[in-house]
Amino acid sequence: QVQLVESGGGLVQVGGSLRLSCAASERTFSSYYMGWFRQAPGKEREFVAAITWNGGTTVYADSVKGRTTISRDNAKNTLYLQMYSLKPEDTAVYYCAARTYRTLVVPTTTAAYNSWGQGTQVTVSS
């Protein structure tokens, strides 16, 4: 069971930026598909971004496209989510997720991932 720990959440003003990190305990991190999801109170957990094992392909939700970058550093076993121009609707608990087996396409659904972190709170104030 891979252990994932998110960090970097906090209170940010509208229009600000934030970088979230996800540290993995497994040294086989470089073989994982990785993703970020978020969940606001009373809403379903939704896809934010995903990245292939080598970082060659990235996928973003329309709601964050153009102001978000997902990246990974396999040497450090760490996944990142950099967000700019934050909006109040970005307020949510952000979760890091891993898929430890291969797939034909980059997974963008919660069911496609088999390991999850505990989440980190991001609050965007107006």
Side-chain angles (χ1 to χ4, degrees), residues 55-74:
T57 302
T58 56
V59 179
Y60 298 94
D62 289 339
S63 59
V64 302
K65 195 174 299 181
R67 58 189 184 91
T68 301
T69 300
I70 185 172
S71 61
R72 64 192 298 165
D73 187 338
N74 289 344

Side-chain angles (χ1 to χ4, degrees), residues 6-48:
E6 302 95 336
S7 63
L11 180 64
V12 186
Q13 290 184 305
V14 172
S17 62
L18 194 70
R19 188 174 80 160
L20 305 181
S21 298
C22 172
S25 63
E26 300 294 323
R27 61 183 181 181
T28 55
F29 174 79
S30 61
S31 67
Y32 301 158
Y33 294 84
M34 300 294 296
W36 286 98
F37 293 77
R38 66 186 183 186
Q39 187 169 24
K43 296 185 178 181
E44 296 291 313
R45 189 170 299 186
E46 65 177 1
F47 170 76
V48 176

Side-chain angles (χ1 to χ4, degrees), residues 44-120:
E44 296 291 313
R45 189 170 299 186
E46 65 177 1
F47 170 76
V48 176
I51 189 168
T52 53
W53 68 272
N54 63 353
T57 302
T58 56
V59 179
Y60 298 94
D62 289 339
S63 59
V64 302
K65 195 174 299 181
R67 58 189 184 91
T68 301
T69 300
I70 185 172
S71 61
R72 64 192 298 165
D73 187 338
N74 289 344
K76 297 180 179 180
N77 287 1
T78 303
L79 175 74
Y80 302 99
L81 186 73
Q82 179 72 58
M83 299 189 71
Y84 302 90
S85 302
L86 287 163
K87 306 174 182 179
E89 51 263 44
D90 292 321
T91 296
V93 176
Y94 283 69
Y95 297 90
C96 170
R99 181 184 174 96
T100 57
Y101 54 101
R102 291 180 174 82
T103 183
L104 294 177
V105 297
V106 179
T108 59
T109 63
T110 58
Y113 291 83
N114 57 294
S115 295
W116 294 85
Q118 295 300 305
T120 184

